[in-house]
Amino acid sequence: MHIYQRQKIHWFYELLSLAFIVLIISWLYFNWKINASGYQVSNTWTFLSSSANFFISDHWLPFSPKDPTWYAILIASVNTFILGMSVMMSATVFGFLFGILSTYPKYKLQWFASSYVDVFRNTPLVGQLFFWYFGVFYLMPQTEHIYYDGFVKVSIQSLSIYTGNLFFILSVFYLIVGVYFLCLKRAFGISLSCLLMSFIYFNFSHSHYFTMSVEWLALYTTLTFYTASYIAEIVKASLLSVPNAIDDAAIALGLNDRDKFKLVIYPIALKSMRPMLINQYITIMKNTSIGMLIGYPELMNVLTGTIINSTGQTLICVSLMMCIYLSVCLFCQFLFMRKHEPI
Amino acid sequence: MNQYKLNSTFIIKVVIAVIALFIIAPDFVVLRRFVFGFGQFITPSIFVLFFAILQYTLLKNNKFMALLVWMLIFAFILLNIKDGWPTGLMVNVVLTLMCLPMTFILALLFAVLRFQSTLLVLKIFATVIIESVRGVPLIGLMIFILSVGADMVPAYWMMPKIITLWMIYSLFAGVYLAEVFRGGFQSIPKAYFDGAYALGMSPLKTYVYVLVPKVVIDTIPAAFNVYIGLFKETSLVLLFGYFDLMNIALNYLDFPEHYDESIKIYMMVLILFWIVATIMHEYGHYLFKTFSKYEAKKT
Amino acid sequence: MKPLLTIDQLSLSLSGKEILKDVSCQFQTGSCSVLIGPSGSGKSSLLKTLNLLNEYDAGLVCFNGKDIKTISKTELRKKIGMVFQQYNLFDHLSVMDNCTLALKRVLNLKKRDAHEIAQTYLTKVKMNDYGNAFPRQLSGGQQQRVAIARAMCLQPEVLLLDEPTAALDPEMSFEVLETIKSLAEEGVTMIYVTHEINLARHLADQVIFIEEGRVVAQGDVKEVLDTTKNNRIKKFIEQIEHRLYGSE
């Protein structure tokens, strides 16, 4: 065997490092034991099934303070999930738009796309959030001068749009699509998310107005613009990484500009950008946690803010929070990165 | 090594940003408070001096001196920490500076342990740490450290806040940087091992004198992306009640007479962050151009 | 005279595949031995084995009368230099750093002494003006000459050359061949894998023909290359010469 492929187990060093790690962990644990013995609260899981006793301002599923705490956590997770999903969709659209713009020499808009990326990539997410939430959305009319024209209602707390029966129609549509995919016995992910969307839309169908809180709007705008700049950069990099020879070959085959992009360059670039895009999607899920700073009731806020304040179960809540985020991230990685396709 | 010329677009961008800053800022005193906080103004100039020395050592390729200067900077920061300092933008800058070497060391350690080591225990340990830090948002990590992690050291240690922050940020950025270094290690051809072994070098020497320098130089642009991310994430220190730029802005806007200035103030904050991040970006570019001359001609 | 390197019944297998079977040969001090044979016959693996870059299964390799497995790898590699087909230079180090790396880190010499030694060997391969250049900025022939200088810097007793001109065009390989010739005239012990029959005729004290991991023929140049009775070798040499002089 070649020298750098050799795998030998050095038992002595293995045991030594194991002992070292165990030593560190036990040191941390005993310190914690000593320090935590001063606290009055005992760690129990029973609080999860007792009633929540707090109110969640934004919820996509029905919720009342009498519901159990685990249900409140579920509501918060749905909030996070839907926020993340909507950001994913819009950020992908914007990101591809800007990414393609910045490599497409026909329109002289590269400077615009590149400065967009520059500005949004080099400023902190928290700053952007505060800019949108305290700056821009603060300009919405105060409570005494609510704007209302029968179709749109704008106030400092929320934005309402008249939707009529749209949500009922959408719900039925998604139900049909979901069942269709389910009957095909393939694309279970799509069918499940369609059914979920259908259920959520159904919950809105009893009201003729769709209301979005200003916190949701601010988070959505911030995350969309922020992530779109990253996606634009990824798209640009992968489009530029397609070798010139392929471009030449496509032209030599007689493809016009549009077909060349659609049939040759884009599929190649898509393959190389896939892992990076998935990384971005996972990052979006983690970035929704900044909703805590403006009081949007997403997972981080509810679990480590509200529930800790009302029950005092710090250790359980924090470890639950870490476990949930971790499992979501690992699950996403497992789901998307299973197949290693050669580029 | 001095052939690097500043990018003209970079200069134009920064000049425009500075002009915009002065136009937007309500008055000079506010701007000064945002940048330097409530504290002294002598310390930033000493920082600039330190950086001049650091730059000199880098140009002379004197690693020992560079390390010494970093330690001096670190000691200087620790000695100067008091109530009024650092505040404002200096918190973000100082914290980033403190984290840079530690991030680098941790990342190298994690990358080697996880992806190159033959010791299974260490490999698993590094993997668990990397995945669990990468899988949790920074806010979550901070809450964990604040609530549970703070009890995990003896109570009489009385760690200064900035040291806790330093550890959190180093760990956080180090884990991401480790991933970058992994890519660097993977891209090294096997010929390097053959070449080094044929010269009589042991595996350890090969790592220290051949592979690590190459990986570090190759990954400068990606590493600076991580560092810029670290700098941006330092705006979260407001969770610790630290008076960084963001917190000072929030504080400033608490007064009713400043309510309608919020867009201006936040634009100012963003521009300040943007300027520093852009300078970091350009510095990374400069370092890469200086140290990767071997990339100049590709065959 | 006692041979410098002795290989006795060496056999080697890499990832389950048998590469070398019962190879035995000897290399004298100050001699130049040429290994020829078709590609994939195990010549390069044999060279790597001599440097312990491959670990062999059975047999005995003796260097100066000692089993090489009993000598520490560092000591062995200090005494046996190696030049690779693809140069294997370190791209991120300048030519001078490439040459002084081993002197500084393996022999623990001072920087100044290392520079002096490297400078003499770079002069020998006519690369002394390129000390500050980086490998990527040089042509293939120049890189290979730097690689030879790097191997010679440790002042090895044996120099292993693994097809040093295979990746080069004729013009560049000429520079390298000149360098190798001058080294051979100085009396450096060399083991040289090549397809250059002419050079072998000119330099070699001993030619070893290897096919499918076995030594087919072994002896001085005339014996193996010109007056051989083995049809396979005749054909092989004919083909190479046909390729070289095909246009005439």
Side-chain angles (χ1 to χ4, degrees), chain B residues 91-160:
Chain B
V91 177
N92 306 83
V93 174
V94 161
L95 201 57
T96 313
L97 285 183
M98 281 169 76
C99 288
L100 288 189
M102 195 59 193
T103 301
F104 182 82
I105 293 166
L106 275 182
L108 216 51
L109 201 71
F110 279 138
V112 171
L113 283 189
R114 180 170 179 194
F115 300 107
Q116 311 283 321
S117 139
T118 49
L119 289 182
L120 202 64
V121 173
L122 289 179
K123 209 170 192 162
I124 293 170
F125 178 68
T127 310
V128 166
I129 290 210
I130 287 179
E131 286 304 327
S132 52
V133 174
R134 272 171 66 87
V136 173
L138 181 56
I139 295 182
L141 195 69
M142 282 183 149
I143 289 172
F144 173 76
I145 300 280
L146 275 175
S147 56
V148 183
D151 289 338
M152 283 186 177
V153 292
Y156 54 83
W157 272 19
M158 310 266 272
M159 290 222 281

Side-chain angles (χ1 to χ4, degrees), chain A residues 3-4 14 28 31-32 35 39 118 121 123-124 127 130-131 134-135 226 230 286 289 300 314 326 329, chain B residues 13 120-121 131 134-135 137 140 144 147 151-154 176 190 194 197 232 246 262-263 266-267 270 273:
Chain A
I3 259 169
Y4 41 71
E14 297 269 4
L28 290 174
N31 276 327
W32 177 80
N35 285 329
Y39 303 147
D118 193 359
R121 262 176 73 101
T123 47
F130 286 172
F131 173 74
F134 293 120
Y226 183 78
Y230 277 84
K286 289 190 284 176
S289 61
M300 182 75 75
T314 314
L326 200 60
C329 282
Chain B
K13 276 194 300 192
L120 202 64
V121 173
E131 286 304 327
R134 272 171 66 87
F144 173 76
S147 56
D151 289 338
M152 283 186 177
V153 292
Y176 282 86
K190 295 265 194 245
D194 273 344
Y197 289 165
K232 290 193 298 177
M246 201 62 72
S262 57
I263 284 195
Y266 283 114
M267 273 174 87
L270 289 183
F273 270 114

Side-chain angles (χ1 to χ4, degrees), chain A residues 205-329:
Chain A
S205 56
H206 61 266
S207 157
H208 291 286
Y209 283 93
F210 177 59
T211 309
M212 289 172 285
S213 68
V214 71
E215 284 87 10
W216 194 88
L217 277 175
L219 271 172
Y220 176 72
T221 328
T222 315
L223 285 171
T224 300
F225 280 121
Y226 183 78
T227 318
S229 69
Y230 277 84
I231 291 180
E233 192 69 6
I234 290 170
V235 170
K236 182 187 166 190
S238 356
L239 284 177
L240 288 180
S241 74
V242 175
N244 273 342
I246 286 175
D247 211 291
D248 293 343
I251 294 171
L253 281 176
L255 296 175
N256 63 9
D257 262 14
R258 212 170 125 202
D259 281 352
K260 185 187 81 185
F261 185 76
K262 208 170 79 183
L263 299 174
V264 181
I265 295 178
Y266 178 69
I268 296 173
L270 196 64
K271 262 191 182 173
S272 67
M273 73 176 84
R274 217 186 80 159
M276 294 187 275
L277 274 185
I278 289 159
N279 244 338
Q280 279 308 315
Y281 293 153
I282 294 173
T283 312
I284 291 174
M285 278 304 184
K286 289 190 284 176
N287 277 345
T288 51
S289 61
I290 57 158
M292 188 182 197
L293 296 176
I294 56 170
Y296 179 74
E298 44 74 55
L299 185 60
M300 182 75 75
N301 193 3
V302 169
L303 196 51
T304 60
T306 323
I307 295 182
I308 287 184
N309 280 344
S310 62
T311 62
Q313 297 288 351
T314 314
L315 182 68
I316 288 176
C317 285
V318 169
S319 37
L320 206 61
M321 174 270 294
M322 290 185 85
C323 285
I324 292 174
Y325 275 102
L326 200 60
S327 51
V328 167
C329 282

